Amino acid sequence: MLKNKLFWLFSVLVFFFFLLSYRLSETPMGLTADESAFGTNAALLSRTGYDENGVFMPLFVNSINKSDWRQPWSQYYITLFFKIFGISIYNLRLSSVILILFSGYLLYRLMNSLLGWRYATLSMVLFFTTPIIFLQSHLGLDNIMPLPFVLIWLLNLNNYRLFPKPKFLIFAGLSLGASFYSYKGMRAVVPVWTILTFIYILFLNYRPKIKLFKLFSDTLPFVLTIIPFFIAIFPISQAYPGAIFGGARPKFTNLYDLLYAYLSHYDLTFLYIRGDDLLFHSTKFHGMVLLSTLPLFVLGFIHSIKLKKFWTFLVLTYFSGPLLFGLVDSVHRASRIIAVIPVYIIICILGTNLLLTKIKRGKYFFFSLIFLFIINFLDFTHYYWFSYPKFTENIFGNMERSVSYQVFSYESQKRNLKPYVDKEIYESFFDAISFTAPSTLVPKDELPPTGSIYLTYHDGDLEGFTKLNVAIPQFRIYTNP
């Protein structure tokens, strides 16, 4: 039995490592501005400890012309990844694959405790094949960073349910509190889940004639652990203005707008057909989750209501996640609410359990769903791997410029000339990969000094410069020794 468990766990993780890594650099064909910002600062921090602004080991990194803040967990995770495995575009995205695989393992641990290792293995398969998860595995972004924190939170709440020891509440508080700083979207989720957790702990400890003081004191390990994360908002906001809420300060306009934003996250066309409003995070033909999982979710939802206790808590977790998204006007943004995906998968697995153990001839229906699931997933991956890159090149760009920077770096080192780059074509991450120190930017209508090598879009004679006879995409290289 143990050998089977380990074999299937290892096999699924290895299989999906290669599947998620397939065409990692080609799909999508280019980098987003946020990817470039994370990669640039991870490269700089891993080499020197200083970010792009010359700040030593900042909690938050101010980037993209100081218009946005990099969240600390993702920024330093990628920094550590670069430190260990090297700085490259591939490793930037590979860091997301590894994080998703780790999250899948945590989901396995939770499901193993709830329904056994076979269902736990199946939960990993559903998790890794979920479109929004698959898409994010190919992006070096922070949208997926809440996943391990949320799963550790749920794991410890389940452990507390089984073994009511204060340490599990402390771990749950630490993990949920830390998730507040993992991604901006969690600013609206964590307060709701904190209140929900508090109520759930009261429920677990309630018994007739218990004194209120004793009942509430049982919540203290969780409360006292998570409160500092909220208190920290004030000093952090002073030290890093805009890093917590940025341009999305919560505001209440009216109840209808709040409900519209909330209910939009359960719009069936959004969930199962169209996906995220932004093409960065959706194919527009495949939803946030696979359509073939809908029957399993419905069955799991019905069964969870009957089972009550922890299952009801999980359902409430799923449906309460986007409750406050109306305060920041977030509608149809799957990439912002990825934190609910593990709970969605858990409910689907509960539906699978009901189908296989409680419903007559449920196995036939289950195998029919497997057939539909395979078709659904193959259709998604085929489109995503081979059609999506072409249709999104206009928004992602491509990696051709990285080749230009590599040749530029080689020529610079070969000739021992200081690198200068035309400000209008500067790509910070490509530059960070190619050089240990950032290149000097050259404003429009200016030229670098003597002793320089110059990367520019200009194609013609430049006074005092010699054009190198090297073939590179899009740009030209000039020298002025």
Side-chain angles (χ1 to χ4, degrees):
M1 180 72 74
L2 181 61
K3 289 182 180 179
N4 287 338
K5 289 165 60 175
L6 294 177
F7 171 78
W8 285 108
L9 172 62
F10 181 76
S11 298
V12 169
L13 289 174
V14 170
F15 175 77
F16 278 100
F17 170 79
F18 288 105
L19 193 69
L20 293 171
S21 301
Y22 179 62
R23 294 182 61 83
L24 193 60
S25 299
E26 292 82 14
T27 308
M29 295 175 70
L31 296 175
T32 68
D34 287 319
E35 281 185 288
S36 183
F38 272 119
T40 299
N41 285 286
L44 294 173
L45 288 165
S46 67
R47 286 171 178 153
T48 67
Y50 290 88
D51 71 358
E52 64 179 90
N53 304 302
V55 181
F56 182 73
M57 300 295 285
L59 182 60
F60 291 84
V61 174
N62 203 355
S63 65
I64 312 181
N65 296 320
K66 298 188 177 180
S67 65
D68 200 9
W69 295 87
R70 302 298 102 202
Q71 302 303 299
W73 289 110
S74 293
Q75 186 61 79
Y76 284 102
Y77 165 65
I78 299 171
T79 297
L80 180 61
F81 203 89
F82 280 179
K83 192 73 175 176
I84 297 172
F85 299 105
I87 301 166
S88 68
I89 297 168
Y90 185 83
N91 282 342
L92 174 64
R93 290 181 170 175
L94 185 64
S95 68
S96 293
V97 172
I98 300 302
L99 187 68
I100 285 172
L101 291 172
F102 177 63
S103 299
Y105 169 71
L106 292 173
L107 178 61
Y108 174 93
R109 291 277 305 275
L110 178 57
M111 286 306 306
N112 185 45
S113 176
L114 292 172
L115 292 174
W117 70 270
R118 290 180 175 83
Y119 289 105
T121 304
L122 182 59
S123 73
M124 286 198 300
V125 174
L126 287 186
F127 178 71
F128 294 140
T129 54
T130 300
I132 191 61
I133 297 296
F134 210 95
L135 281 151
Q136 293 299 319
S137 72
H138 280 228
L139 296 171
L141 299 175
D142 55 352
N143 303 69
I144 56 170
M145 186 51 72
L147 290 171
F149 292 104
V150 168
L151 283 160
I152 293 171
W153 165 61
L154 292 174
L155 261 170
N156 280 284
L157 284 182
N158 184 54
N159 287 339
Y160 181 75
R161 175 182 67 90
L162 299 173
F163 314 100
K165 297 179 180 179
K167 67 176 182 179
F168 294 124
L169 294 184
I170 292 173
F171 295 147
L174 286 172
S175 188
L176 186 59
S179 74
F180 186 84
Y181 299 95
S182 64
Y183 175 62
K184 288 181 180 178
M186 292 302 288
R187 311 284 202 265
V189 177
V190 173
V192 176
W193 283 354
T194 298
I195 295 171
L196 183 63
T197 304
F198 176 79
I199 295 171
Y200 181 63
I201 297 169
L202 289 177
F203 169 78
L204 285 178
N205 288 285
Y206 176 79
R207 53 188 179 274
K209 297 183 180 180
I210 187 173
K211 293 182 179 180
L212 285 178
F213 176 79
K214 176 65 171 69
L215 182 61
F216 281 91
S217 66
D218 289 334
T219 68
L220 287 180
F222 173 77
V223 171
L224 294 178
T225 302
I226 202 168
I227 278 180
F229 290 97
F230 292 110
I231 294 175
I233 292 173
F234 302 101
I236 289 175
S237 296
Q238 292 294 317
Y240 303 91
I244 301 297
F245 298 110
R249 290 188 177 278
K251 61 178 180 178
F252 177 79
T253 51
N254 59 69
L255 181 61
Y256 297 104
D257 285 344
L258 187 68
L259 287 174
Y260 172 69
Y262 170 72
L263 294 174
S264 74
H265 290 84
Y266 304 104
D267 176 351
L268 295 184
T269 58
F270 158 71
L271 281 172
Y272 299 102
I273 305 296
R274 302 295 291 180
D276 199 289
D277 265 0
L278 294 184
L279 200 53
F280 285 112
H281 304 292
S282 172
T283 66
K284 293 299 182 182
F285 296 104
H286 308 88
M288 181 176 178
V289 293
L290 290 175
L291 179 60
S292 53
T293 62
L294 176 56
L296 295 177
F297 180 81
V298 172
L299 288 172
F301 172 73
I302 295 170
H303 196 37
S304 65
I305 300 302
K306 293 179 180 179
L307 292 176
K308 298 180 180 180
K309 297 184 178 179
F310 191 62
W311 293 104
T312 301
F313 172 78
L314 290 172
V315 168
L316 291 173
T317 298
Y318 177 73
F319 284 105
S320 66
L323 193 61
L324 298 182
F325 271 42
L327 297 179
V328 290
D329 195 28
S330 182
V331 176
H332 291 159
R333 293 299 307 276
S335 57
R336 293 178 177 173
I337 197 63
I338 290 177
V340 303
I341 290 295
V343 185
Y344 178 88
I345 299 299
I346 292 169
I347 295 171
C348 286
I349 296 300
L350 181 63
T352 304
N353 173 260
L354 176 66
L355 198 61
L356 294 177
T357 60
K358 305 291 183 181
I359 297 177
K360 187 177 180 181
R361 297 182 179 177
K363 291 182 180 179
Y364 298 106
F365 186 45
F366 176 69
F367 288 119
S368 299
L369 283 178
I370 289 179
F371 176 72
L372 293 175
F373 168 81
I374 293 172
I375 293 176
N376 197 181
F377 179 66
L378 290 178
D379 177 65
F380 162 69
T381 51
H382 183 268
Y383 181 85
Y384 176 64
W385 282 331
F386 303 107
S387 298
Y388 179 80
K390 303 171 189 174
F391 294 139
T392 56
E393 186 178 2
N394 63 318
I395 60 172
F396 280 104
N398 56 55
M399 302 295 185
E400 286 186 350
R401 292 189 175 190
S402 67
V403 177
S404 297
Y405 271 87
Q406 290 170 18
V407 175
F408 180 53
S409 173
Y410 170 78
E411 297 293 341
S412 172
Q413 294 175 44
K414 177 182 174 182
R415 290 169 167 77
N416 194 28
L417 296 174
K418 185 176 180 180
Y420 287 79
V421 178
D422 194 316
K423 188 175 182 180
E424 294 183 8
I425 65 168
Y426 183 65
E427 295 280 357
S428 60
F429 186 41
F430 295 160
D431 190 77
I433 294 171
S434 306
F435 297 95
T436 55
S439 299
T440 303
L441 302 188
V442 180
K444 187 177 181 181
D445 299 327
E446 292 186 19
L447 290 175
T450 302
S452 62
I453 184 168
Y454 182 34
L455 182 68
T456 179
Y457 65 89
H458 186 83
D459 188 12
D461 293 331
L462 295 178
E463 186 177 352
F465 283 81
T466 302
K467 181 181 174 182
L468 292 187
N469 187 25
V470 291
I472 59 173
Q474 301 180 11
F475 307 134
R476 306 290 181 269
I477 299 176
Y478 292 79
T479 61
N480 184 0

